[in-house]
Amino acid sequence: MKISGKIKGVVFASLLALVASTSGAIAAGGAPSPSTVSKSITKKPITLRVFTTAPQNKVSEAVAKEFQKKYPNIKVVVQATDFPNYSQGIQLALKSKNGPDVALAANAFDSKNGLTLNLAKYSRLYGWNKTIPSTIAQQWKVTEDYKSMAGSIQVALPTNINIVGLYYNKALLKQAGITTPPVSMEDFEKALAAAKKAGLVPLQMGNSQGHAAFLVQGIGQATDGAKSAAKWALGVTGSTFDTAGNKLGASKLLAWKEAGYIPSDVNSYSLQDAVKNFTQGQGVFLNDGNWDAGTIDAAMGDNVGFIPFPGKNVVAIGGGDAFQIASNSKNKDAAAAFLDMLISAQAAPLAWANGFLPTNVGSAKGSTSLQNDILKAYGNISKANGIVSFNNNVTSSMNQTLTTTTQALLGGQMSVATLISTVQADWASSR
Amino acid sequence: MKKGRNSSSEAILFVIPALSLYLLFVIAPWISAISFSFFNWDGIGSAVWNGFNNYSEVFRDPEQFNSIKHSLVLIGFFSVVPVTLGLVLAHLISNLETTSLIGRMSRVVIFLPQVLPLIAVGIAWKLIYSSQGVLNQFLENVGLGASTRGWLGDFNFALPAIGFVGIWLGTGLCLLLFNSGIQKIDQHLYEAVQLDGGGRIRAFTSVTVPSLRPEIRFASTITMIAALSGFDLVYVMTNGGPGGATLVPGLEVFRLAFSYNRFGQACALAVVLSLITFLFILLINRVLKDN
Amino acid sequence: MTKYESAFSKTFLIFMVAFTILPIFAILNISLQPADALSTGLSFSWDLNFQNYVDAWSMGNFGRLFINSLGISLTIIPLAIFFAILGGFGFYFFNFRNKKYLFNFFLLGMTLPYEAIVIPLYYGLNSVGLLNTSWAVIFPLLGGFMPFGIFWLRSYFSSLPNELAEAASIDGATSLQILMKIILPISKSAIVSLAIFYYIWSWNHFILSMILIQDATRRTVTTGLTAFVNQYSQNLPLLCAGTMTVIAPTILFFILFQKHIVKGILDGAVK
């Protein structure tokens, strides 16, 4: 039987090829340290490939221009995708043979696979630790077992700061009969009720990608305090999501939906849709990060304000876009020089002009009332040591878990207790 | 052709290019998906033998099992409804001459969904279903404002809403296939039914449906393949949401592999998906065999 | 046939046509509104605005995407047709042991979803350095297109009168001569139909390019469109203009070749 004999041969050969290809996989030994680090950069013509997300690419592109002026032999190519696609594809890109040199970090624990460098040596060389606030920096330093953050292996360099707070529409708040923005949880609920009574949309929200989780975390940590909330968010062993604050957060989310404070079709549209609705007067409040400040500022001007999330503790979900260097990069020193420029005083105004709060916050001056509000809020939160890492980042699947569970809660398909236990189960599965 | 040459060595020369492409880029990856499916593997590090556990997990993990259930629902929308509807409608309009202007023009337009990228189709329907979209505007205009909602964010309506796109995609195709099939049916068969005193319904069940066997088989096969893959549409319309209510196996394979880093598990579900597809196609071709 | 029945049929067909066109019309309509318009499809204004197309073309880098997709389709079509002709002829003209099994083995490929093979493909292609290149999509699609091509052409060849090939065979023509001089010249329409299917499937393909091409400069129209839509989700007219830009060539192509396509599908059904 000639033909089937040949088939067997071909199948076998191609199988061998595939098995051989997979056995060549990188062994999981954690993020490798570069053998030598140096500030002196090659003079040969090279290309540096930077992978990031939109709209961060605007900052990277602006900084790339400056970088090319300083090093004319280096061409910087910046590529951007939206975050959901980016986070699913970046590990694949880092592993492939023609991947990026510099890549925005999607999740700190991804570095376990060894595809990106331990930046500790570069950090010492450039003195990065002195400029980055520790609450932000620790989110990109993992422990040696790659199970929690706030460790010693620096897997990425944060280049800007994000905080999540509460935007409010000044005119609508007044229309609802409230004169000062809320400080306590009671104020907040009172304002929501008043807005509802005045026929307004009290709290704008978009949950098709799971951003209702901000509200759960916001209420949770404002109740429990930053210290205990941060432990869980950083993945410190022994902590639990089953706290009074998180339970309150999830039940308020549900109660506010039922009371009509949150739009009933919240699961069907995204945070970006919610931002658009908010700028068009659909919503007295919006729980969102400063990354949307540029859009909101342009649409609303002096009519919008920004405050820390109300509650008895002054806290904020906070983090930052952080960059990694690929282990496969042939130009690691040049990549490190690019990272250094991203956090330089020279880059700060470029970041701030695009709505990104630079890591050296002191250099940022507000030119609009919203920018002043954000700087003021950040100052207060920072003083209270109130920055807590995003719950979404605590495992690589947590973003999906929070999306699914908050959607189910808001859709009447899941109880508060189940939400809490499902989230905790995901957290525990990787520890 | 019955009188072909008996030359295996020459035949191989003709078949081998296609065969090697097919083996290298379809069959070999599929076999290696089968072998991955027995391992616990994060896609980067080393793989650990896991026996049949990934397979039992496909049916134990509600997320994966639900994705299979959803694809069965979608078969109803993408395949069963269009084929049934197409048969009934084709019978109703069987008197229309396909050469008439309207007949010819409608043929062209009704085929259009078959050639459009599903990604674009999904984008269009997502807009139609959005809170301020065409569907809600229409409902408000006809006084049904109370029924408006964000369709794709609603646990009860998201899956049927995607399913409805399947009806949109498939019904026209089925209608035209069956319509062109009916033109070829011997009119004497219908006359015989009439002589027997049978009405249109008898004509439908005893002449139209049996005569259209090959067309029904073809239509069921291609619409079912579309229903079981379904990745493109769901990916752009809901990405599996809300709360996993529209997850389909294709998307869950992608999510297991690239969001959860469970490559072995993803391959197990992929293998189950291809077995389900294969079994359904086999079933259709058995049930609708030529007499 | 009564007049009443005919009117019913026609009305019904018109309804089907409207139902089919509605979604396409909705995006076309939105794509022509000014960027700040609130309309989402039902209301129509004659104040048409083509600027969205100009903006979408440059902001979405569609020129690049078209070149990439066109490159992929134009590589696949001739190669796939060539190999499918050889294979289809091989199965039609020769008798060999286990021919039926080998043919069924090819048919199996028509039921395998791409989702089932994309993960191993990712690793295989990476190991040979083809990931993030157009070849990462071209090769798997070539492999995936073989079953249908062979099935399609073999059915067509089999429907041709037997005497032609037999006569030539007796005259001592080689099998290659029979294929080139006798079979191919009378199979043009089947080959054109197959080429059209290959074009549509390769142009519209999504999942392989989404996973196997992570490099934004090498993306195809469908993956590029998805990224564009995600990025500009707040500007409906722009988003719709981008979508129309991607489907317009397909619609145009369809109108030009509709006879072949419609006939192709209708004929394919009964083989």
Side-chain angles (χ1 to χ4, degrees):
Chain A
M1 225 306 299
K2 272 180 180 170
I3 285 195
S4 77
K6 289 220 171 187
I7 298 174
K8 276 180 201 151
V10 176
V11 171
F12 192 67
S14 44
L15 257 182
L16 272 184
L18 274 159
V19 171
S21 76
T22 55
S23 59
I26 296 173
S33 257
S35 45
T36 57
V37 295
S38 166
K39 277 191 184 179
S40 70
I41 310 299
T42 176
K43 295 281 182 286
K44 285 185 220 139
I46 57 166
T47 302
L48 214 52
R49 284 152 66 85
V50 179
F51 282 18
T52 181
T53 59
Q56 199 286 332
N57 61 326
K58 288 182 192 156
V59 182
S60 288
E61 275 159 15
V63 173
K65 269 189 198 146
E66 299 298 318
F67 190 75
Q68 292 178 128
K69 268 185 219 157
K70 192 171 170 192
Y71 304 101
N73 59 318
I74 301 180
K75 192 180 164 217
V76 182
V77 180
V78 178
Q79 280 195 12
T81 5
D82 57 294
F83 187 78
N85 276 313
Y86 182 87
S87 63
Q88 283 164 337
I90 187 59
Q91 295 309 310
L92 302 179
L94 282 167
K95 188 173 186 287
S96 70
K97 291 188 172 164
N98 33 15
D101 298 283
V102 172
L104 186 88
N107 187 289
F109 301 119
D110 286 343
S111 55
K112 183 183 182 180
N113 58 31
L115 295 176
T116 55
L117 293 183
N118 179 352
L119 299 178
K121 281 188 188 171
Y122 283 118
S123 188
R124 277 195 297 276
L125 180 70
Y126 283 102
W128 289 339
N129 280 336
K130 285 169 217 147
T131 42
I132 315 283
S134 66
T135 47
I136 305 295
Q138 69 178 359
Q139 297 180 16
W140 301 102
K141 292 179 181 173
V142 298
T143 52
E144 284 178 6
D145 58 1
Y146 288 83
K147 287 186 174 166
S148 51
M149 297 173 234
S152 59
I153 299 170
Q154 182 168 6
V155 297
L157 176 70
T159 57
N160 61 275
I161 296 170
N162 290 324
I163 50 167
V164 177
L166 202 59
Y167 291 91
Y168 61 98
N169 183 317
K170 291 177 183 169
L172 292 185
L173 192 65
K174 203 183 247 175
Q175 195 181 320
I178 308 286
T179 46
T180 51
V183 177
S184 69
M185 190 67 190
E186 293 72 38
D187 295 346
F188 191 29
E189 274 197 293
K190 218 181 278 169
L192 291 171
K196 177 75 192 164
K197 216 171 170 190
L200 302 165
V201 177
L203 180 59
Q204 185 54 252
M205 184 183 279
N207 197 39
S208 69
Q209 294 167 342
H211 289 96
F214 286 169
L215 189 79
V216 179
Q217 186 176 0
I219 296 175
Q221 64 199 21
T223 310
D224 296 336
K227 217 171 179 186
S228 84
K231 266 192 191 151
W232 191 85
L234 293 170
V236 177
T237 329
S239 33
T240 173
F241 195 68
D242 192 358
T243 66
N246 288 329
K247 274 190 273 196
L248 183 70
S251 19
K252 284 295 176 200
L253 176 63
L254 185 58
W256 291 355
K257 159 91 190 305
E258 279 166 359
Y261 295 172
I262 298 168
S264 63
D265 51 355
V266 54
N267 274 340
S268 72
Y269 57 89
S270 68
L271 177 67
Q272 285 315 301
D273 297 317
V275 168
K276 190 179 181 187
N277 293 343
F278 178 72
T279 59
Q280 290 169 348
Q282 293 291 310
V284 181
F285 296 102
L286 173 74
N287 187 202
D288 190 12
N290 63 296
W291 57 82
D292 281 321
T295 316
I296 294 173
D297 214 348
M300 299 175 74
D302 286 345
N303 188 30
V304 65
F306 183 91
I307 48 169
F309 195 85
K312 70 175 188 227
N313 296 292
V314 184
V315 289
I317 309 170
D321 296 318
F323 282 88
Q324 304 170 312
I325 298 178
S327 307
N328 276 342
S329 169
K330 293 188 187 75
N331 301 296
K332 300 184 175 73
D333 287 336
F338 183 74
L339 291 197
D340 189 55
M341 188 174 263
L342 275 171
I343 59 162
S344 67
Q346 191 181 2
L350 300 174
W352 189 230
N354 283 295
F356 289 85
L357 197 56
T359 45
N360 44 353
V361 183
S363 69
K365 296 274 177 295
S367 56
T368 66
S369 77
L370 181 60
Q371 286 184 346
N372 283 326
D373 276 5
I374 291 171
L375 288 176
K376 194 175 144 202
Y378 177 77
N380 291 339
I381 296 159
S382 185
K383 213 186 301 163
N385 235 340
I387 291 199
V388 180
S389 172
F390 286 79
N391 283 349
N392 316 49
N393 293 340
V394 73
T395 65
S396 51
S397 52
M398 189 56 81
N399 194 45
Q400 188 62 57
T401 302
L402 286 171
T403 304
T404 308
T405 52
T406 52
Q407 285 175 345
L409 182 81
L410 286 166
Q413 310 287 313
M414 188 181 268
S415 68
V416 169
T418 316
L419 180 144
I420 302 277
S421 62
T422 311
V423 171
Q424 180 60 25
D426 178 339
W427 187 93
S429 69
S430 10
R431 313 224 127 71
Chain B
M1 155 131 184
K2 290 180 185 78
K3 299 242 163 95
R5 284 187 187 172
N6 290 306
S7 167
S8 294
S9 51
E10 224 188 326
I12 286 168
L13 288 179
F14 280 91
V15 176
I16 213 88
L19 185 64
S20 31
L21 280 170
Y22 175 57
L23 284 176
L24 258 178
F25 296 105
V26 179
I27 295 301
W30 190 62
I31 291 174
S32 95
I34 297 176
S35 56
F36 287 171
S37 72
F38 294 104
F39 287 88
N40 229 336
W41 184 42
D42 68 359
I44 309 255
S46 46
V48 180
W49 177 256
N50 199 25
F52 280 90
N53 287 343
N54 288 340
Y55 285 94
S56 54
E57 179 74 4
V58 167
F59 299 95
R60 272 204 316 258
D61 175 14
E63 203 172 294
Q64 292 179 62
F65 190 57
N66 282 337
S67 76
I68 294 174
K69 284 199 278 189
H70 296 154
S71 70
L72 299 184
V73 174
L74 288 185
I75 287 180
F77 281 102
F78 277 64
S79 194
V80 180
V81 175
V83 169
T84 317
L85 213 59
L87 273 173
V88 174
L89 299 175
H91 185 72
L92 286 180
I93 64 159
S94 60
N95 49 24
L96 185 78
E97 286 161 34
T98 43
T99 45
S100 72
L101 184 66
I102 294 181
R104 271 182 297 152
M105 273 178 42
S106 63
R107 263 180 173 227
V108 176
V109 174
I110 291 174
F111 257 76
L112 196 57
Q114 300 305 316
V115 301
L116 294 178
L118 284 176
I119 289 298
V121 169
I123 292 168
W125 279 95
K126 187 180 176 181
L127 289 178
I128 291 173
Y129 286 134
S130 71
S131 296
Q132 285 95 35
V134 172
L135 179 58
N136 282 345
Q137 284 177 42
F138 174 77
L139 288 175
E140 254 158 39
N141 287 351
V142 297
L144 288 169
S147 317
T148 62
R149 65 192 78 227
W151 296 90
L152 295 177
D154 188 297
F155 274 83
N156 298 322
F157 288 98
L159 192 62
I162 291 175
F164 190 76
V165 181
I167 297 181
W168 179 79
L169 279 170
T171 307
L173 173 77
C174 293
L175 172 63
L176 289 189
L177 275 174
F178 301 151
N179 182 259
S180 104
I182 286 176
Q183 312 298 322
K184 293 179 208 145
I185 297 176
D186 188 352
Q187 287 304 309
H188 291 107
L189 294 173
Y190 286 110
E191 281 160 23
V193 172
Q194 261 180 348
L195 284 179
D196 269 7
R200 286 198 96 165
I201 295 178
R202 264 266 313 273
F204 179 70
T205 52
S206 60
V207 180
T208 308
V209 174
S211 312
L212 291 180
R213 227 172 245 272
E215 283 87 356
I216 297 174
R217 194 173 56 213
F218 178 77
S220 310
T221 306
I222 59 170
T223 52
M224 195 161 291
I225 290 176
L228 283 166
S229 56
F231 177 88
D232 300 11
L233 269 186
V234 176
Y235 181 77
V236 287
M237 289 180 75
T238 59
N239 199 11
T246 58
L247 259 185
V248 291
L251 185 62
E252 178 67 3
V253 167
F254 175 69
R255 194 179 273 186
L256 284 168
F258 301 112
S259 294
Y260 302 161
N261 298 324
R262 295 170 69 189
F263 282 76
Q265 187 64 54
C267 286
L269 181 60
V271 171
V272 171
L273 170 64
S274 37
L275 288 181
I276 292 176
T277 314
F278 181 70
L279 282 179
F280 267 104
I281 306 294
L282 206 67
L283 192 74
I284 292 173
N285 285 278
R286 276 283 150 80
V287 172
L288 296 168
K289 219 155 112 187
D290 287 327
N291 285 339
Chain C
M1 168 167 89
T2 64
K3 271 203 163 153
Y4 168 76
E5 278 177 328
S6 169
F8 169 80
S9 298
K10 282 180 182 167
T11 319
F12 175 75
L13 271 185
I14 291 170
F15 169 77
M16 281 298 291
V17 166
F19 174 59
T20 309
I21 286 188
L22 178 79
I24 302 160
F25 175 76
I27 2 183
L28 176 67
N29 183 17
I30 300 172
S31 75
L32 293 169
Q33 306 300 313
D36 53 352
L38 291 174
S39 161
T40 39
L42 263 193
S43 54
F44 180 79
S45 114
W46 276 110
D47 175 23
L48 301 183
N49 180 326
F50 289 92
Q51 187 58 34
N52 298 317
Y53 284 84
V54 180
D55 294 345
W57 184 263
S58 60
M59 289 159 90
N61 207 359
F62 281 106
R64 179 83 253 166
L65 300 176
F66 270 72
I67 291 172
N68 292 343
S69 276
L70 214 58
I72 288 175
S73 291
L74 291 183
T75 314
I76 286 180
I77 295 168
L79 289 175
I81 292 282
F82 178 66
F83 295 136
I85 288 174
L86 290 183
F89 182 75
F91 276 108
Y92 152 73
F93 192 69
F94 297 101
N95 288 321
F96 46 90
R97 280 180 66 188
N98 294 318
K99 172 169 154 176
K100 199 180 151 220
Y101 293 109
L102 188 62
F103 190 68
N104 284 339
F105 175 65
F106 265 109
L107 290 189
L108 173 75
M110 291 211 258
T111 68
L112 275 187
Y114 286 106
E115 290 95 322
I117 58 170
V118 68
I119 294 169
L121 275 175
Y122 173 83
Y123 286 95
L125 292 164
N126 190 30
S127 69
V128 291
L130 290 179
L131 207 65
N132 287 336
T133 69
S134 295
W135 298 107
V137 173
I138 291 172
F139 282 127
L141 285 185
L142 272 179
F145 285 178
M146 286 302 110
F148 180 81
I150 286 175
F151 167 76
W152 175 259
L153 289 177
R154 193 194 84 134
S155 313
Y156 184 82
F157 295 156
S158 303
S159 70
L160 298 171
N162 262 340
E163 299 77 32
L164 288 171
E166 273 169 36
S169 199
I170 293 162
D171 285 351
T174 66
S175 37
L176 200 62
Q177 280 171 331
I178 294 172
L179 171 63
M180 300 298 290
K181 301 231 167 93
I182 299 181
I183 304 292
L184 282 192
I186 51 174
S187 306
K188 272 185 197 144
S189 72
I191 292 170
V192 170
S193 294
L194 185 61
I196 291 170
F197 289 139
Y198 281 164
Y199 164 74
I200 293 172
W201 293 336
S202 57
W203 184 265
N204 290 350
H205 196 81
F206 179 66
I207 185 167
L208 290 180
S209 53
M210 181 180 102
I211 293 173
L212 303 176
I213 304 182
Q214 297 292 332
D215 182 337
T217 59
R218 290 185 169 127
R219 274 194 194 127
T220 60
V221 282
T222 47
T223 43
L225 175 65
T226 322
F228 177 77
V229 164
N230 284 330
Q231 195 168 345
Y232 299 103
S233 63
Q234 294 324 300
N235 190 337
L236 286 188
L238 187 70
L239 176 166
C240 290
T243 309
M244 282 309 295
T245 306
V246 168
I247 64 175
T250 314
I251 294 182
L252 201 71
F253 187 84
F254 176 68
I255 293 171
L256 284 176
F257 292 98
Q258 47 100 358
K259 265 194 186 149
H260 265 293
I261 299 174
V262 174
K263 189 172 171 296
I265 299 178
L266 294 182
D267 288 353
V270 282
K271 279 178 182 156

